[in-house]
Structures are given as C-alpha cells and as structure tokens.
C-alpha cells in the first residue's frame, strides 16, 4: 500500500472560525476518496491547504511519504479547485496546448485526455460553444495533462444537469480505473456513495467518520419488532441482550440497533427463550443517507 498523502492534526482558523479541526487521514494509492460534508464544513479549505494555496494554522501534511518537497510533489498532482480560465475564442485543443506550455509538459497527452473526457470529437470547437458540462470535462482534461498520480476535484458536478452529472461521474471512475488516485470534495451523499471507495465525513471542520464507503453503508443494521406483550418488559429484555446497541420506541414499533450483524432469527430465538413472542420482526440496514444524518445530527 503506497501512501500518496498523509494529513496529521491539521487545523485552520480564519479569525474566530475554526474551519478545520484536528483533521487526520491518509490517501492510499488506487482509491477514490470523497470528503463529504455540508457547505461550510471545511472541505475546500482542506483541499486548499494540501495544494499550498491556503496556509494552515497548525498540523502537518506530507505528499508521497515526505520524500520530496511539496513544490515537487504538486507537479504529480492534478487539481481543479476553482473553475479554470479558458479562452473562449480558442478551441479546446488550443486551450490545452496553452496549458501544456504553462505547465511545461509536452503536447503528448492532449489527445488521450480529450478522449478520456469524451471531447475528442469536439476538440476543434471553440470553448465558448461548450455547454457547462463540456467546460467542466475540459477542466478535468487540463488537470490530466501532466499525467498526475492523483486527481483532486472540488464539487465536480456542481451546477450540472443530471446528464452532465452522470457523465462526469463515469469519467471520474474511468480515470480511477486507469490507476489514478482520486480525491474529491462533495456535499452530495449520493455522489460519494456512487463514485467513491472511501469517505471522510466532515462536520464543522471535524472528522466524524472515515473508512470504506461500504462499511459506512453496511453498519450492523436494525431490527424492528412488534409485540403484544408488555412493552417495558420487552425493552428491558432487549436491553440486556449482548447483541443490542440501543433500543428505541417509534409508535408501536420497537427498534433495536445491533452491536453485531446478527440475523432476525437469532434475535427471535433470544426473545422466545425469554418468554416473549412477537408479531412482527424485520431487519433493515440504515441507508447511507440515514447514517450521514445520524452522524451530522450530533
Ligand atoms: P466547504 O468547502 O466545506 O463548503 P469551506 O472550507 O469553504 O467549506 O469553509 C469552511 C469554513 O471556513 C466556513 O465557515 C467558511 O465560511 C470559512 N471560510 C472559508 N474561507 C474563508 C476565508 N477566506 N476567510 C474567512 N472564512 C473563510
Ligand atoms: Mg467548498
């Protein structure tokens, strides 16, 4: 496992606002990371710090195991954190040629990157004729010209229509399949769920969760129960069960949050052994959305 980026105890204050608080996480090669959080949670600030455009207040980060300077490391990074300025009266290809000159890289990658973002057919059209989605795809192409190890995107689908959103997400996955590590920031839960392998959930600058997306999705779930028996007694029996994390009542439903991934039959057997018969028993996995809301409601 090769570490691309390691962030440790990062803090950023803007006057009294703590935009980033004690943030630590690692980016491992080959994965797609999503920094997920509502607006103002510190996503863009974090990206700005690691790209050396925002000064940190304290803490540290190191690129590629710290073997090279940040300045050199950033030559192996492709990033779009603001809408890049392209020249409206130049074609896509001419705009990319200009960026190659600025970055000091050869034109070799231009055709490949245009293919990657599905703009090869439109390469000789002027930028001003492009739709918003095409402009964003050209921005991604421009970030790929130096053949980066990692591509960093801040809210890559903002402002796009559903078709444009879908296309960008497909392109991000395609780029990752080609071996490029991805770090994106998004306030959209379903974006992270659909695109990313790993997630870092931020709230008010603090990390609430980091790990694989499936692990966040596949928590141990809940079991809903209805019973004709005495509710208080049933709740007590459930609370005494070692597989139970918590017990809540919602109308006539008793909701058991599980400590481990046990089956509804196992819970049924336990209740039966404690002389409780039930009239309804359903196991559910909370959606990522529910878990995100649970996390951010704290
Ligand atoms: P996100 O990208 O998650 O929406 P930001 O990183 O942009 O969040 O912002 C985090 C917090 O820092 C917010 O409270 C925001 O208002 C504040 N902030 C961001 N940039 C600045 C700045 N240049 N000056 C003052 N406050 C800022
Ligand atoms: Mg932002």
């Amino acid at each position: 496992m090769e570490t691309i980026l390691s962030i440790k105890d990062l803090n950023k204050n803007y006057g009294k606002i703590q935009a980033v608080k004690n943030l630590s996480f690692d980016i491992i090669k080959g994965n797609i990371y999503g920094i997920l959080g509502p607006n103002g949670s510190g996503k863009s600030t974090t990206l700005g710090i690691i790209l050396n455009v925002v000064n940190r207040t304290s803490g540290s980060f190191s690129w590629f195991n710290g073997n090279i300077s940040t300045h050199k490391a950033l030559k192996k990074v492709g990033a779009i954190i603001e809408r890049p300025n392209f020249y409206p009266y130049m074609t896509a290809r001419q705009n990319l040629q200009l960026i190659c000159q600025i970055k000091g890289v050869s034109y070799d990658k231009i055709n490949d990157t245009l293919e990657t973002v599905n703009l090869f057919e439109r390469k000789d059209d002027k930028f001003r004729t492009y739709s918003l989605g095409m402009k964003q795809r050209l921005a991604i192409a421009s970030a790929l010209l130096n053949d980066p190890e990692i591509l960093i995107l801040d809210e890559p689908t903002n402002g796009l229509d559903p078709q444009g959103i879908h296309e960008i997400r497909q392109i991000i996955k395609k780029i990752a399949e080609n071996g490029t590590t991805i770090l994106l920031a998004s306030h959209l839960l379903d974006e992270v769920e659909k695109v990313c392998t790993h997630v870092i959930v931020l709230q008010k600058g603090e990390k609430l969760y980091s790990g694989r997306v499936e692990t966040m999705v596949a928590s141990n779930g809940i079991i809903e129960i209805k019973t004709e028996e005495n509710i208080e007694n049933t709740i007590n029996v459930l609370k005494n069960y070692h597989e139970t994390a918590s017990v809540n009542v919602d109308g006539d439903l008793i909701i058991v949050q599980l400590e481990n991934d046990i089956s509804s039959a196992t819970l049924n057997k336990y209740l039966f052994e404690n002389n409780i018969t039930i009239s309804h028993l359903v196991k559910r996995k909370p959606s990522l959305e529910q878990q995100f809301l649970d996390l951010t409601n704290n």
Side-chain angles (χ1 to χ4, degrees):
M1 287 207 308
E2 196 179 314
T3 305
I4 301 272
L5 171 69
S6 184
I7 296 181
K8 286 212 173 62
D9 299 326
L10 203 62
N11 284 283
K12 173 65 185 179
N13 302 342
Y14 291 108
K16 280 183 184 161
I17 298 171
Q18 273 190 284
V20 177
K21 291 181 204 163
N22 284 324
L23 182 62
S24 302
F25 64 87
D26 289 334
I27 300 288
I28 308 294
K29 187 179 169 76
N31 296 324
I32 309 180
Y33 292 84
I35 302 181
L36 173 65
N39 286 332
S41 56
K43 304 181 297 294
S44 298
T45 301
T46 303
L47 296 185
I49 292 170
I50 60 175
L51 293 169
N52 259 7
V53 295
V54 173
N55 290 322
R56 64 189 190 264
T57 302
S58 67
S60 64
F61 64 93
S62 79
W63 284 104
F64 307 106
N65 290 315
N67 293 329
I68 49 175
S69 69
T70 300
H71 178 74
K72 272 207 174 131
L74 291 178
K75 291 195 188 303
K76 302 205 278 178
V77 175
I80 314 168
I81 51 170
E82 283 167 15
R83 269 186 208 293
N85 288 319
F86 292 111
Y87 288 90
Y89 291 95
M90 280 164 50
T91 67
R93 194 164 51 87
Q94 289 166 338
N95 270 293
L96 293 187
Q97 285 174 343
L98 190 61
I99 290 166
C100 283
Q101 287 169 20
I102 294 166
K103 289 189 174 179
V105 297
S106 75
Y107 291 176
D108 293 358
K109 287 271 162 192
I110 291 178
N111 284 348
D112 282 356
T113 62
L114 285 165
E115 291 272 11
T116 301
V117 301
N118 307 335
L119 284 175
F120 187 73
E121 310 288 305
R122 301 289 303 269
K123 68 180 187 304
D124 294 317
D125 292 347
K126 289 190 166 62
F127 179 73
R128 67 174 163 80
T129 68
Y130 274 23
S131 70
L132 197 58
M134 292 167 75
K135 288 176 178 171
Q136 179 64 345
R137 284 186 275 136
L138 188 64
I140 293 177
S142 75
L144 294 174
L145 289 170
N146 57 335
D147 199 14
E149 288 266 344
I150 177 169
L151 178 64
I152 297 179
L153 306 163
D154 194 358
E155 307 273 4
T157 61
N158 257 13
L160 304 185
D161 61 17
Q163 177 62 38
I165 290 173
H166 180 73
E167 199 162 5
I168 293 279
R169 290 177 182 168
Q170 292 304 114
I171 288 168
I172 293 171
K173 288 195 227 177
K174 184 161 74 177
I175 294 167
E177 276 165 21
N178 290 335
T180 308
T181 306
I182 311 259
L183 172 61
L184 62 84
S186 177
H187 67 285
L188 301 171
L189 181 65
D190 81 309
E191 179 148 289
V192 170
E193 196 170 4
K194 284 185 178 130
V195 177
C196 299
T197 58
H198 291 70
V199 60
I200 298 122
V201 179
L202 289 189
Q203 186 196 34
K204 295 183 183 151
E206 262 179 302
K207 184 174 81 175
L208 294 181
Y209 174 87
S210 69
R212 291 195 67 90
V213 168
E214 309 89 84
T215 316
M216 181 165 167
V217 179
S219 86
N220 299 313
I222 54 173
I223 294 181
E224 285 177 6
I225 293 168
K226 278 188 206 171
T227 179
E228 313 285 314
E229 316 266 349
N230 180 289
I231 292 270
E232 302 289 301
N233 179 45
T234 306
I235 290 171
N236 279 333
V237 168
L238 284 166
K239 280 187 174 165
N240 286 333
Y241 189 36
H242 66 278
E243 301 287 10
T244 301
S246 69
V247 183
N248 292 292
V249 178
D250 182 10
D252 60 348
L253 282 179
I254 301 174
I255 299 172
V256 183
Q257 199 102 38
L258 299 172
E259 198 78 69
N260 291 299
D261 191 17
I262 59 160
S263 68
S264 46
T266 306
L267 184 68
N268 196 12
K269 183 160 171 280
Y270 167 79
L271 288 171
F272 186 76
E273 284 164 4
N274 285 276
N275 304 315
I276 293 171
T277 52
I278 48 186
S279 54
H280 165 101
L281 179 80
V282 179
K283 183 165 180 189
R284 296 189 196 287
K285 287 216 157 146
S287 63
L288 182 57
E289 181 168 28
Q290 189 53 51
Q291 293 188 55
F292 180 60
L293 290 174
D294 288 349
L295 279 171
T296 51
N297 268 344
N298 255 324

